[in-house]
Amino acid sequence: QVDIMESGGGLVQPGGSLTLSCAASRTIYTITHMGWYRQTPGNQRELVAQISGAGTTNYADSVKGRFTISRDNAKNTVTLQMNGLKPEDTAVYYCNVGERYNSYIERDHWGQGTQVTVSS
């Protein structure tokens, strides 16, 4: 059973910055991808940024150039640095962690979500 701990959400003014952190504990098996998704009321959860175990990153078009994702494999942590925040970035952000049990089975684990509100 993997535990996900998220931190860093809050209220920030447009143009400001926030840093979201996520730590995965009790990771018995191999951790693969780590990333952040976000969700607003009435909408599906969408990818914000993801980083593979090898360090390959993927970003939503809407956050490219503003957000940076990184990870520390030794600590099983992932960090999302968010700069130039916009009101449309307001959402609940969820940490996502992939765990590979074997060559055939991989499961996703999710945090409880942390609120990010961008407003003046």
Side-chain angles (χ1 to χ4, degrees), residues 16-75:
S17 298
L18 282 175
T19 301
L20 301 183
S21 296
C22 175
S25 61
R26 294 202 287 179
T27 53
I28 299 175
Y29 300 97
T30 302
I31 299 300
T32 54
H33 60 267
M34 304 185 78
W36 289 91
Y37 288 67
R38 65 188 181 189
Q39 187 171 25
T40 55
N43 296 304
Q44 292 186 317
R45 194 169 298 182
E46 65 176 5
L47 173 70
V48 178
Q50 188 175 77
I51 184 168
S52 73
T56 301
T57 58
N58 292 296
Y59 297 92
D61 288 340
S62 60
V63 308
K64 288 181 179 178
R66 299 188 296 121
F67 293 8
T68 302
I69 192 167
S70 61
R71 65 187 289 166
D72 185 332
N73 292 332
K75 298 181 179 180

Side-chain angles (χ1 to χ4, degrees), residues 37-110:
Y37 288 67
R38 65 188 181 189
Q39 187 171 25
T40 55
N43 296 304
Q44 292 186 317
R45 194 169 298 182
E46 65 176 5
L47 173 70
V48 178
Q50 188 175 77
I51 184 168
S52 73
T56 301
T57 58
N58 292 296
Y59 297 92
D61 288 340
S62 60
V63 308
K64 288 181 179 178
R66 299 188 296 121
F67 293 8
T68 302
I69 192 167
S70 61
R71 65 187 289 166
D72 185 332
N73 292 332
K75 298 181 179 180
N76 285 331
T77 59
V78 61
T79 299
L80 184 67
Q81 178 64 48
M82 304 186 295
N83 298 322
L85 285 163
K86 304 175 180 179
E88 51 263 44
D89 294 318
T90 296
V92 177
Y93 284 69
Y94 297 88
C95 180
N96 171 249
V97 176
E99 184 182 27
R100 187 175 70 246
Y101 295 95
N102 53 49
S103 298
Y104 306 98
I105 301 175
E106 180 176 310
R107 301 295 187 190
D108 280 324
H109 302 279
W110 296 90

